[in-house]
Amino acid sequence: MDGAEPAAATDAVDATIENQALWLSAKRGSLHIGPAPVTAPGPNEILVRNHAVAVNPVDRLLPVMGDLIAPWLAYPTVPGSDVAGEVLAVGSAVTRFKAGDRVLGHAAFLEKSRNRAAEGGFQRVTVLLEHMASPIPAGMDFAAAAVLPLGLSTAACALFQPGHLALRPPAAGPAAGETLLVWGGSTSVGSNAIQLGRAAGYEVFTTASPRNFAYVQRLGAARVFDYRNPAVIADVIHAMHGKTLAGAVAIGAGSARACIAVAGSCRGRRFVSTVSNPISFDAAPAGWRRALWLVPALARLLAASASLALLARRRGVKTRFVWGGALVDNNIGPMIYAGYLPAALAEGRHVAAPPPLIAGHGLAAIPGALARLGAGVSAQKIVVTL
Ligand SMILES: NC(=O)c1ccc[n+]([C@@H]2O[C@H](COP(=O)([O-])OP(=O)(O)OC[C@H]3O[C@@H](n4cnc5c(N)ncnc54)[C@H](OP(=O)(O)O)[C@@H]3O)[C@@H](O)[C@H]2O)c1
């Protein structure tokens, strides 16, 4: 079922290991559980027995509009980006892990450069890239660890990639003397962006609902604003007076417009990394009604994107959409998963946030978990244990 050739592995893969996966059968196909091959890890890969997986908005959308999100995707595929588990075998060039290690990782099935079912998260065993995995420290359980990968990766892509905010990397050193705006701080992406921004030495301003103010402050935000307050943009601009903006990360509905307005009125880097589409596809139906729903939705997306581009141009602000898996293929992946996260997690400088909400056990619980995510979460990450 997988297109890639199995490569030589240092560890022999135990022939008694069995695999089951939550398959996405075809483009706009259905999810079903079935047997899956056990793929030997290639030289820079590890094979992991998953004990917990987290669900993300993209997992809900793949069966409905995977052809628009990732047109290259080879089917059948196995969705799922966030896994935590135990290493079963390592490839010949792997130096950071050995069988038995507890790890978390960003499963890279969705990336054009990877694009194989063996690297999907929603199965009992997954192949991970060594540079997209980190050890789980003692005292952190698998469910907590599984909340991190895609949120962390997306935040890192927005903050550190040269074509995005290009912030200085997380490292000890003097404060940067600049302020990062994270719009949507209580989201999974935002919770990690706040922590990464702080780790890199930036002051962080963020937005959230009032019930999550204390939560985002615990993650390191210096100031937090209620994004539903009609005066929020003016309030953030006022708070930025005398400060230098390092750029903004826009997460959530309406965030890009708000961040452009703020960045266009501040001193500093007028750059907004946008994480969310300007219109939501969450309500897209499956089946024959999809086309009826999509045509006006895509027209709205085009209109909203054009209006944002115009606003950004008028305000002298640059914007760029983030692809949260881009770090798989550049130096940000190893910088985060090998260079930063292991010590930051072990020393409590980066916490697994938002906290997990366990929605069930076993692959059969994943569709229900996806439906629960669709109903909305607040500063929580939905996790299924395996
Ligand atoms: N481009 C990519 O590669 C990529 C990757 C991952 C995610 N995403 C996108 O990023 C967004 C967040 O995903 P996630 O998984 O991090 O989200 P999530 O954790 O499921 O988001 C839930 C949170 O969203 C907050 N929220 C809702 N509406 C908001 C708004 N208008 N402005 C700011 N915050 C708002 C809520 O905050 P309160 O409860 O405090 O109100 C809630 O805590 C989604 O749009 C997702 O599709 C994109």
Side-chain angles (χ1 to χ4, degrees):
M1 285 187 177
D2 295 326
E5 291 289 320
T10 305
D11 292 350
V13 175
D14 182 345
T16 64
I17 296 171
E18 288 184 358
N19 194 16
Q20 290 269 313
L22 184 67
W23 290 98
L24 175 57
S25 56
K27 183 171 84 175
R28 283 177 259 147
S30 56
L31 291 169
H32 69 274
I33 295 173
V38 175
T39 303
N44 297 300
E45 299 167 354
I46 59 177
L47 183 69
V48 175
R49 160 76 171 96
N50 297 324
H51 288 292
V53 296
V55 297
N56 287 287
V58 69
D59 302 321
R60 289 187 56 244
L61 290 178
L62 274 187
V64 184
M65 37 196 305
D67 50 335
L68 298 179
I69 296 169
W72 54 83
L73 206 51
Y75 295 91
T77 191
V78 176
S81 301
D82 291 346
V83 306
E86 195 178 335
V87 176
L88 293 174
V90 305
S92 56
V94 169
T95 55
R96 294 174 51 230
F97 301 108
K98 61 182 187 318
D101 286 352
R102 292 169 1 108
V103 294
L104 63 89
H106 180 154
F109 81 102
L110 191 56
E111 300 317 301
K112 200 172 188 174
S113 63
R114 308 304 304 172
N115 195 12
R116 58 177 183 152
E119 296 183 56
F122 295 162
Q123 53 191 325
R124 291 178 65 83
V125 298
T126 293
V127 172
L128 294 179
L129 289 161
E130 179 188 24
H131 71 265
M132 293 301 293
S134 284
I136 301 173
M140 181 180 289
D141 63 25
F142 290 119
V147 308
L148 280 164
L150 188 61
L152 175 71
S153 291
T154 308
C157 286
L159 264 48
F160 302 118
Q161 288 190 121
H164 284 268
L165 298 190
L167 300 188
R168 63 184 207 177
E178 296 181 354
T179 303
L180 169 72
L181 175 62
V182 176
W183 198 279
S186 60
T187 62
S188 289
V189 178
S191 299
N192 285 286
I194 293 170
Q195 297 188 79
L196 287 173
R198 287 292 301 132
Y202 295 84
E203 180 183 51
V204 179
F205 285 4
T206 195
T207 68
S209 289
R211 63 173 173 264
N212 290 323
F213 277 17
Y215 165 76
V216 293
Q217 282 164 335
R218 276 198 303 278
L219 295 177
R223 296 283 306 268
V224 51
F225 304 84
D226 179 357
Y227 61 86
R228 291 191 185 88
N229 179 345
V232 62
I233 293 173
D235 288 351
V236 178
I237 292 170
H238 186 255
M240 281 298 300
H241 192 69
K243 294 181 180 288
T244 303
L245 186 71
V249 186
I251 312 158
S255 59
R257 188 163 286 278
C259 287
I260 291 168
V262 172
S265 305
C266 291
R267 189 178 70 197
R269 183 113 199 273
R270 297 183 161 196
F271 196 107
V272 179
S273 279
T274 60
V275 171
S276 301
N277 277 311
I279 73 146
S280 169
F281 288 89
D282 286 355
W288 63 269
R289 289 180 300 135
R290 181 188 108 123
L292 289 180
W293 190 93
L294 265 187
V295 172
L298 290 175
R300 282 201 310 279
L301 176 65
L302 279 179
S305 303
S307 148
L308 280 177
L310 199 64
L311 178 68
R313 200 161 151 187
R314 278 210 309 261
R315 307 301 298 265
V317 176
K318 286 202 160 43
T319 68
R320 190 160 179 199
F321 190 75
V322 177
W323 177 260
L327 76 175
V328 165
D329 299 309
N330 62 38
N331 66 335
I332 307 297
M335 178 182 106
I336 294 297
Y337 284 90
Y340 166 73
L341 195 62
L345 278 184
E347 293 163 15
R349 287 183 280 114
H350 197 109
V351 298
L357 173 67
I358 296 175
H361 182 77
L363 294 173
I366 293 174
L370 293 170
R372 198 157 171 182
L373 178 63
V377 292
S378 179
Q380 282 183 311
K381 187 89 183 174
I382 296 182
V383 167
V384 170
T385 54
L386 298 178

